[in-house]
Amino acid sequence: MQASLKKQGFVMGLFLIVFVIGADSFIISPLLPALAQSYRISIASAALSVTIYAICYAVGSPLLGPLGDRYPKRTLVLTGVAIFFSGSLVCTLAPTAGWFNVGRAIAGLGAATTLPNVWALIGQTFRGKRLNLIMGMTMAALSLSIALGVPLGAGLAQLANWRLVFVASAGLILLVGTILYLVVPRVSTTTMRVNYGQAYRQIGHAVTAKLALLITLTWMTGFYAVYTFLGTFVTAQFHLNTGSTGMVFMVYGLSNFIASFFSGPVTTRLGKLTAVQWGGSLSILALAGLVNHHSLWVVMGSLVLLAIVQGIGVTALNTMIVNLLPAQRSTLMACNSAMLYLGLTVSSGIGGWAYARVGFSGLTLTAMGALLVAVGLTQWLRRRLN
C-alpha cells in the first residue's frame, strides 16, 4: 500500500514539475507591459527575457540534459529544479531589467536540465502499457500549462504586481521539489558512465535515432508555423478582442490536455508508430479546415481536432523516442528537446516572412507539407525498426 502511494506521488510530482516549468514559459507574455513600466524600458526590451529563456533552454538542453546518462537521473532532476527555483527567485527580487534577464537565463538552464531527464526517468522506470499511460499523463501537464499559463499570469498580475507571479512560481517549485525529493527512487538502475562524445557518437551512428529526431523537427516546424500566428489570424479574420482570442488558445490547450492525458490506452492499442502516423495524418486534415474558412465554428472545430490528434501523436512520438537508445536515454531526449526548440525557431523566423507574403492560408499549406514529411519519415522509421 505504501509503495503504491509512493508511486502515485512520484507520478504526481513529475506531472506538477512539468506543469510549473511549462506554465513559466507561457506565463510571462501578459507580464511584458508591466515589466516595461516597472523597469522603464520598451516592450521590445522586455520581450528579450522570452528570447533569453528560449535560447538558454535550446542551448542548455543538449549540454546539460545528457548528464543524466552519466549521473543518476534523480540527481539531475532535483538539480534542475534547484536551478529553476534560483532563477525564479532572482526574477522575484531583480532590481533592474538586466538582473531579471539573468534570472530568466538561469530558469532556462534549469528547465533544460530538468525536462529531458523527466522524460528519461519515466522511460527508465516504466514499461509497456504503464509507460504509455504515464508518459501521456505527464505530457498532458505541458498542454495544461498552455491552456492556463497566460490566464494565470494575467490574473496574478492584476491582483497585485508582476513579482507576485514569480513568488507563486518559486513557492510551487519549492513544494514540488520537496515532493520529488521524497518520492523519486534514489537508485532505479545502474547508470552507465559514458562521456558526451560517446553518447553523441552513438546517436550519430543510429539511423533510427536520427530519423526520430528529424520527425520531431519537421513535425514541430509545421505545427508551430500555424500555432505562432494563430492569434494574429483569428483576431484579424473574426475581429476578436484579446480576451476572445485568449479563449481560443484555452479551448485548444484544454482539448490537447484531455487528449494527452488519456492517450496511453490509444497508444497501447494502436502501437506507438501507428499512433504517430495517425496523429500526423489527422493533423494535416485538421489544418485543412483552417485554409480559406470564414466560419469561426469551422475554425474552432478544426482546432479541437488538431488539439486531440496532436495530443495523441506527439505523446506517442515522445514515448517511442525515449526507448530507442536506453543507454543514451537522457542525451537523446535532450536532443529531442533541442529539435522542438529548433522547429519553433525556424517556424517563427521563416513564418513571419511567409505570413506577410502568402498569408495564413499559405502558411498553413506549408505546415501541412511539413507534417506530411514527418508522416513519411515515420514510415521510413517503421521499416528500419521491423
Side-chain angles (χ1 to χ4, degrees):
M1 182 68 174
Q2 186 176 0
S4 176
L5 287 174
K6 192 168 185 178
K7 188 73 78 174
Q8 291 174 13
F10 171 48
V11 175
M12 180 58 70
L14 294 179
F15 179 91
L16 288 173
I17 195 59
V18 171
F19 172 76
V20 172
I21 290 178
D24 193 83
S25 302
F26 298 102
I27 212 168
I28 198 168
S29 297
L31 304 181
L32 293 180
L35 287 169
Q37 183 178 9
S38 177
Y39 290 126
R40 294 188 173 90
I41 57 176
S42 66
I43 292 290
S45 296
L48 278 175
S49 59
V50 179
T51 305
I52 287 168
Y53 178 93
I55 290 173
C56 286
Y57 187 105
V59 174
S61 186
L63 291 177
L64 299 173
L67 290 172
D69 288 328
R70 183 170 178 83
Y71 304 103
K73 293 173 178 57
R74 176 183 189 273
T75 302
L76 266 296
V77 169
L78 293 175
T79 300
V81 170
I83 296 170
F84 195 85
F85 172 77
S86 301
S88 292
L89 208 57
V90 171
C91 288
T92 301
L93 303 173
T96 65
W99 275 107
F100 184 83
N101 288 338
V102 168
R104 293 304 291 165
I106 294 171
L109 292 173
T113 307
T114 305
L115 289 183
N117 283 292
V118 166
W119 311 133
L121 189 59
I122 293 171
Q124 175 182 285
T125 308
F126 301 100
R127 293 288 181 272
K129 295 180 181 179
R130 193 74 174 159
L131 171 62
N132 297 339
L133 181 66
I134 302 305
M135 185 66 80
M137 291 171 63
T138 309
M139 286 198 69
L142 284 177
S143 307
L144 192 62
S145 71
I146 293 173
L148 300 182
V150 172
L152 278 174
L156 286 171
Q158 287 177 358
L159 285 174
N161 62 49
W162 63 264
R163 294 183 192 272
L164 180 62
V165 174
F166 293 96
V167 171
S169 178
L172 277 173
I173 294 163
L174 188 60
L175 173 63
V176 176
T178 303
I179 293 171
L180 290 172
Y181 178 81
L182 294 173
V183 300
V184 177
R186 288 186 178 274
V187 180
S188 298
T189 61
T190 302
T191 304
M192 295 183 66
R193 298 273 173 170
V194 294
N195 59 41
Y196 273 76
Q198 222 176 346
Y200 280 109
R201 276 196 299 273
Q202 289 292 332
I203 292 173
H205 292 154
V207 175
T208 54
K210 289 185 287 188
L211 280 173
L213 293 176
L214 277 174
I215 293 168
T216 297
L217 176 60
T218 53
W219 187 305
M220 293 305 164
T221 299
F223 170 72
Y224 280 114
V226 170
Y227 192 79
T228 302
F229 298 95
L230 178 62
T232 305
F233 165 67
V234 296
T235 300
Q237 183 77 5
F238 303 109
H239 309 291
L240 302 180
N241 57 32
T242 303
S244 298
T245 302
M247 287 299 297
V248 171
F249 283 96
M250 185 175 288
V251 168
Y252 177 91
L254 290 175
S255 300
N256 192 247
F257 164 71
I258 293 169
S260 298
F261 195 87
F262 294 105
S263 65
V266 177
T267 301
T268 299
R269 185 175 183 82
L270 294 178
K272 298 179 187 67
L273 286 170
T274 301
V276 172
Q277 286 185 298
W278 274 103
S281 300
L282 291 174
S283 292
I284 295 170
L285 179 63
L287 288 174
L290 302 179
V291 179
N292 287 327
H293 273 292
H294 300 283
S295 167
L296 181 58
W297 291 110
V298 171
V299 168
M300 289 301 297
S302 299
L303 286 176
V304 169
L305 174 60
L306 181 65
I308 291 170
V309 295
Q310 285 281 312
I312 294 170
V314 174
T315 302
L317 178 60
N318 223 42
T319 308
M320 180 269 295
I321 292 173
V322 80
N323 274 330
L324 274 180
L325 298 175
Q328 290 80 36
R329 189 176 273 126
S330 290
T331 304
L332 186 57
M333 296 314 292
C335 290
N336 196 53
S337 293
M339 288 299 104
L340 187 153
Y341 270 85
L342 180 58
L344 173 58
T345 302
V346 170
S347 61
S348 59
I350 297 176
W353 176 88
Y355 186 83
R357 287 160 178 78
V358 297
F360 188 76
S361 291
L363 198 60
T364 302
L365 289 171
T366 304
M368 291 165 67
L371 280 162
L372 185 61
V373 172
V375 172
L377 288 170
T378 305
Q379 182 60 31
W380 188 4
L381 178 60
R382 180 190 290 276
R383 290 174 183 168
R384 296 288 306 193
L385 290 173
N386 289 339

